[in-house]
Amino acid sequence: VTLKSDIAIDIKEDKISNTSFNKKTLLSFFEKHGFNNLLGKINSSPKEIEKNIEEKNIRLSYEKISNDKELKAVVLKIRKAGLVAIDTETDTVKPYFSNLIGISLSWDTGKACYIPIKHSNINRDFIQLEKNIVINILDPLLKDSAVLKIGQNIKFDNIVLFSNGFSKMNTIDDTMLMSYVLFAGLHNH
């Protein structure tokens, strides 16, 4: 299937982006179904969340990787941390047939980066890394069993990376599987 992207559509965001909700109904639903994390978020105001971040002295650092030097610096940080959360962005939900669009990495609270590889329909000034450069720099890290790789449904990411020329990851943890094991009777597992 090819999506047609050259069609002019008149969208009025204020007409389709109503994000209001009935707090009482939502809280009742979350309590009934055990969505404790979401309960805490609904009960916290954005100012309380910001205050929490400040109290914990979390410094946020999110960056887009634009060259191999920046990527090598991130790999050193990950090796020092001993773990990395990883997520791939693709052009399809079929991992064996997907093109790798980008990779997100996080190695500490508030520390993360995004590696753009194959975005399309973007500004010509938008810098992306060639996939072969990313493979050469990240592959040794992904194979390194001393660095724990963590992901949500990481099997998907492992297949995507392997199908796009990377080696298979060693030493992985999957938050989806952890959730299933810990809370098998909840959350529609």
Side-chain angles (χ1 to χ4, degrees):
V1 173
T2 302
L3 296 178
K4 193 152 178 64
S5 62
D6 59 346
I7 298 172
I9 301 174
D10 184 29
I11 296 176
K12 293 177 177 51
E13 287 186 37
D14 59 325
K15 300 287 186 199
I16 63 169
S17 298
N18 182 358
T19 58
S20 63
F21 57 89
N22 182 316
K23 187 174 180 178
K24 184 178 177 184
T25 302
L26 195 57
L27 288 173
S28 173
F29 177 84
F30 286 168
E31 284 174 5
K32 179 180 177 183
H33 296 287
F35 292 109
N36 298 324
N37 190 9
L38 293 173
L39 262 171
K41 289 179 180 179
I42 293 297
N43 284 324
S44 298
S45 71
K47 288 187 182 194
E48 288 173 323
I49 293 169
E50 283 179 28
K51 185 179 174 190
N52 257 348
I53 290 171
E54 287 173 14
E55 284 175 0
K56 293 179 183 176
N57 206 13
I58 298 171
R59 302 186 84 161
L60 303 179
S61 174
Y62 305 119
E63 57 185 302
K64 178 179 79 74
I65 302 300
S66 301
N67 58 57
D68 59 338
K69 184 179 174 185
E70 292 173 350
L71 184 54
K72 288 175 184 175
V74 164
V75 168
L76 289 175
K77 292 174 188 175
I78 292 169
R79 286 191 182 284
K80 186 176 178 182
L83 58 87
V84 61
I86 185 166
D87 185 41
T88 57
E89 300 304 324
T90 64
D91 61 352
T92 180
V93 295
K94 298 177 181 176
Y96 289 104
F97 305 104
S98 64
N99 289 305
L100 184 61
I101 305 300
I103 303 172
S104 298
L105 304 170
S106 179
W107 55 94
D108 197 0
T109 304
K111 309 282 190 256
C113 71
Y114 181 70
I115 308 161
I117 297 170
K118 195 175 181 178
H119 288 263
S120 60
N121 297 330
I122 55 171
N123 183 324
R124 291 181 190 183
D125 296 331
F126 185 77
I127 298 170
Q128 301 187 83
L129 288 168
E130 291 182 30
K131 185 166 60 172
N132 288 336
I133 291 173
V134 178
I135 291 171
N136 288 334
I137 296 170
L138 274 188
D139 212 44
L141 178 77
L142 298 178
K143 292 189 293 187
D144 187 349
S145 59
V147 177
L148 176 63
K149 279 65 75 180
I150 305 163
Q152 173 78 6
N153 190 15
I154 201 163
K155 178 181 176 184
F156 175 88
D157 301 299
N158 207 6
I159 294 168
V160 166
L161 291 168
F162 185 72
S163 298
N164 278 272
F166 290 81
S167 299
K168 291 208 174 184
M169 286 188 268
N170 287 325
T171 318
I172 59 174
D173 270 352
D174 191 319
T175 57
M176 185 174 73
L177 293 178
M178 289 179 202
S179 175
Y180 183 77
V181 170
L182 293 171
F183 308 107
L186 300 174
H187 306 299
N188 297 321
H189 285 309

